[in-house]
Amino acid sequence: VQLQASGGGLVQAGGSLTLVCTASGSDSGRYFRDLVMAWYRQVPGHQREFVAVIAGTDVTNYGRGMWGRFIISRDDAKKTIALQMNDLKPEDTGTYYCNTNLRGEIWGQGTQVTVSS
């Protein structure tokens, strides 16, 4: 399984962005609906931070400060997950990565989100 994140960009504080992570590869169709999928973010010089996770279609959890602002969802038919981010703050700036675990950790290449004040 390979993961590709997209949808990042530059947005003003208070704005919204939706990130999408697409799974591909020979195992993706067979396993995707069973995968626990997550988003993380990282700022240079800091550890990678947990953002959100989805297991199945409706079991979700969010990192600190993200409840009520971020919504994670998935479309198993399209083999995608999405992260809708609302009321963005400058501290949400970072590179966002999607992640799963199938015989080991799998990371997408990341998409940059920049929130200006």
Side-chain angles (χ1 to χ4, degrees):
V1 173
Q2 292 86 46
L3 302 176
Q4 176 75 47
S6 61
L10 173 64
V11 64
Q12 288 189 330
S16 299
L17 276 177
T18 298
L19 307 182
V20 177
C21 176
T22 303
S24 62
S26 58
D27 286 340
S28 61
R30 180 178 180 183
Y31 295 110
F32 185 81
R33 65 180 62 249
D34 297 321
L35 294 176
V36 176
M37 301 293 297
W39 288 98
Y40 288 77
R41 69 186 182 193
Q42 189 167 24
V43 176
H46 293 78
Q47 286 190 333
R48 200 163 287 189
E49 178 185 21
F50 168 72
V51 174
V53 64
I54 184 166
T57 57
D58 58 1
V59 178
T60 59
N61 197 13
Y62 297 90
R64 181 180 297 180
M66 299 165 205
W67 282 97
R69 296 193 301 124
F70 292 5
I71 301 171
I72 188 171
S73 60
R74 68 191 298 155
D75 185 329
D76 289 337
K78 295 181 179 179
K79 297 182 290 182
T80 61
I81 61 168
L83 183 70
Q84 180 181 338
M85 304 186 293
N86 303 310
D87 189 25
L88 283 161
K89 306 175 187 301
E91 52 265 39
D92 294 317
T93 294
T95 303
Y96 283 69
Y97 299 89
C98 51
N99 163 272
T100 191
N101 193 312
L102 178 65
R103 308 186 200 97
E105 292 253 52
I106 301 171
W107 294 92
Q109 69 178 30
T111 185
Q112 178 67 35
V113 172
T114 303
V115 184
S116 63
S117 58

